[in-house]
Amino acid sequence: KARIVKVKGLLKEMKAIHKSHETTPAAPLLERASVLHNKLKTDSWRKKVREQMCKVLRDRDVEQDQKDAVDALLALDDAKGAYEHLRELLPTPKAEDVDAVRLKAIEGVGKLAQDAAIPKLITLMQKSKDIGAVKMAVLALGNYGKSKRRVLVLEEMLDTLKLLKPSRAPGKR
């Protein structure tokens, strides 16, 4: 019962900072939210906390708050739930200038190593117009060593490297 009171208070604070145009750093609140989320047993309350964290991520104009929200999602004990929110931030391959928050989201998705992210990361690696996104996608895919789909990941990475390898001039070895 006391924990639910804490959750309600935290959600109220998070809504206030979400609506606020102040530059009060959200990091301490996000850290508290991730710790409290991990202590909760009820899925509906856990979901409410994640959703408020994501509102900070999506709607705050302060880049550091957005990065802190990514870190807070990564601290959750629910990789699938965190991935559901981070995948919204993954850039499209057509994006030419991927911002730091989206690069951090790519990195975060790799840390979560959810198999559902593999196709999106492979597409970013192969087709992104932003070299930073390509680099982060490659690094993210490197976290799939324990995945059942690791062979697919490795094959796709090797195929992509073959395409990127400069050709040799005729007669040179």
Side-chain angles (χ1 to χ4, degrees), residues 129-147:
K129 293 182 178 185
D130 182 275
I131 193 67
V134 172
K135 177 183 173 184
M136 278 300 168
V138 169
L139 292 173
L141 287 165
N143 291 316
Y144 283 84
K146 294 182 180 177
S147 168

Side-chain angles (χ1 to χ4, degrees), residues 1-16 29 32-53:
K1 197 79 167 167
R3 193 170 285 155
I4 298 303
V5 172
K6 282 184 181 181
V7 172
K8 287 181 179 180
L10 179 72
L11 292 174
K12 188 175 179 179
E13 283 183 72
M14 290 182 80
K15 286 178 184 176
L29 194 57
R32 282 183 27 224
S34 62
V35 168
L36 191 55
H37 172 279
N38 293 344
K39 290 180 180 178
L40 292 170
K41 303 292 182 219
T42 311
D43 287 338
S44 61
W45 284 108
R46 289 166 61 93
K47 184 177 180 181
K48 287 178 184 181
V49 172
R50 279 195 314 270
E51 286 173 352
Q52 278 302 313
M53 293 168 80

Side-chain angles (χ1 to χ4, degrees), residues 13-27 29-30 52-67 69 101:
E13 283 183 72
M14 290 182 80
K15 286 178 184 176
I17 199 169
H18 172 251
K19 292 179 180 179
S20 169
H21 295 291
E22 296 177 27
T23 57
T24 306
L29 194 57
L30 290 164
Q52 278 302 313
M53 293 168 80
C54 289
K55 285 183 180 180
V56 171
L57 179 62
R58 281 192 313 264
D59 300 339
R60 288 282 285 193
D61 290 334
V62 181
E63 184 179 279
Q64 189 58 50
D65 285 348
Q66 292 172 321
K67 288 179 178 180
V101 175

